[in-house]
Amino acid sequence: MDRDFTSPYSHLPVAVFTCDQDGYINYYNSAAATLWGHEPQIGVHQWNGAWKIFDMAGNLMDAADSPIARVIKNGETIGSAEIIIQTPTGELKHVVGYPAPLYDEAGNVAGVLTTLIDISDKKSGEKKQAHLAAIIESSEDAIVSKTLDGIITSWNHAAEQMFEYTEKEVVGQSISIIIPGERLSEETLIIGKIRKGERIDHFETIRRTKSGKMIPLSLTVSPIKNASGEIIGASKIARNITAQKEAEAQLQRYAENLEILNEVSKAVAEHMDTQSILQKVTDATTKLTGASFGAFFYNLVDKRGESYTLFALSGAPREAFEKFGMPRNTAVFNATFTGQGIVRVDDITKDPRYGHNSPHHGMPKGHLPVVSYLAVPVVSKSGAVIGGLFYGHNQPGMFTREHEVLVEGIAAHASMALDNARLYEEVQQLNSKKDEFIGLASHELKTPITSIKGYLQIIERNADNWERNKSFISKTHSQVDKLAGLINDLLNVSKIETGKLPFNFTKYNMVNLVQEVSELMHYSNNTHRIELSVPERELMVTADRQRIEQVIINLIGNAIRYSPNADMVKVELYEIGDRIKVSVQDFGIGIEENHLERIFSRFYRVDELAAHMSGLGIGLYISKEIIDRHGGQLSVVSDPGKGSTFSFEIPVSNN
Ligand code: ADP
């Protein structure tokens, strides 16, 4: 080993080596050997002890061009030079060399003494720093640092985007410029924790942008320490959680909507009356849509043919509508009632259908302001539009597709419930009719019995006066017949109920039957004449003669009873194709349309009449059953106040 360990440089922690005037290494210390990663041979290695050297751009350098060579060859003085050296194991090191010329006594360059300092750590630190800076700059989260006094010291690109302030505008300013007034105390709390060296994780709060927009954020704040571990500030990472908050809000809305839907289903299932169902549905949907008010209108046109009846209202007092009357049959409303589906308009006042109808041409003065408009038809199972649910809001664009879907679902539910409620109400009505019937039946049965009892008493008292008694006996007979008829009718009803009404079909001439019955009715009543029109020829049918007779008697009987101010009933028999038709026309009180369907049901009597006229409400029910069982049809047309025509058709017998 040619190295001189007696040199004053031997134990220096920095690498030192010397070359002679030809560049051959003539001394290096152990720090230099460590740096180079090997021990070059004295007097053999020239210019440099490193395995390889590169310039800062990474190009391999010829040792003869190294800074040391330049000092020796050209006598240049170089303060310092940065190069990269490679050790025999391939390790690269950043090195700063300080080559200093050595002179002989004559003042000529006799060699060079070079000190090498390894700056690799510093370099990689800088690199790391640059890397970090790049990460911070490209981060999507806002990253901000501040002093413990809240003065902003750095502000990345995402912070500029998020808070709308540039870095230049805010560095040196207090962080409070982005904290809403009512949240300033949060900062004291955060700094308090930071001072204690604590970190704040995912703190959800709100910050204000330069333009005043409030944005929801999730903050993570960590203390910044200096080299000696003192806390000197805080770094803050802010994530915009608007989307997350929206998603949460939407979930919340969904949950709430579900709850309301559940409530409605329950309420609708529990209530059997239409009024409560409609009120619940209107209340719930008004809440769901966030409408200022909602209403349900029945699809009923009034006598003038132009308005719909308000049935349920939510969010506004009834008086708010009463002074305007019902919504009119305008182009806007009509769409809902004529099955054109859902109407949703962001601003109804700008809709082409709006404002065409006089006298208001839009909303009447003082009407609740409606800008956003939503109307959903409530359609029955049969496809008929029962009514419509209407919602209004005084701001534009308040109703969405989501609202449409929700209300549509509830409307479908409601229509089913309404159908059921209607059936239920009908059953209820029939039940109360049944109670009424029992009262009526006992009254109707008692009347002939009272008469019979009276006649028998008279007969008893006049036991010896046969001539006088004869007329009372015949009167008793007719009361007994009436009683038998009533009991027969009642029995028929119960037989119909159990499907056991017997029929006895024979072939006979219908012309004869109609003639006989009409004559009988003509002579047995003294108020009405029976005007009969039958064809000349025979009309054969295969039917139960007695039951058909019962039907004709019932129809003529009704015609007489329900036309107290008339004196004539028309009975007609004719042939249409392969059927015969019997019609009985009266000129009496007639029947309002809403009763027409129901008079054929058991115990049904038109209320306004029932009080004045005797009857049980079963004649037409039995007649209809009889005609049905003949494969025929019993029907009625009526003009209230003018009279009715009841007719039945049954097939003609061909053989
Ligand atoms: P009732 O014994 O009550 O007459 P019906 O079944 O024969 O029973 O008739 C049912 C109801 O239909 C009657 O109560 C009456 O209200 C109405 N009705 C029947 N026929 C007529 C008619 N010719 N004119 C007016 N109303 C009628």
Side-chain angles (χ1 to χ4, degrees), residues 422-456:
R422 228 182 247 176
L423 279 177
Y424 178 74
E425 275 161 21
E426 262 168 34
V427 170
Q428 289 287 88
Q429 241 173 23
L430 278 180
N431 267 345
S432 73
K433 292 272 174 208
K434 194 174 180 172
D435 295 340
E436 251 173 59
F437 166 78
I438 292 170
L440 265 179
S442 27
H443 174 77
E444 291 285 306
L445 292 171
K446 260 190 198 155
T447 315
I449 289 175
T450 314
S451 307
I452 292 168
K453 223 177 160 186
Y455 296 144
L456 289 177

Side-chain angles (χ1 to χ4, degrees), residues 12-27:
L12 274 185
V14 274
V16 175
F17 70 99
T18 54
C19 301
D20 62 19
Q21 69 263 42
D22 299 316
Y24 289 104
I25 295 175
N26 51 13
Y27 169 76

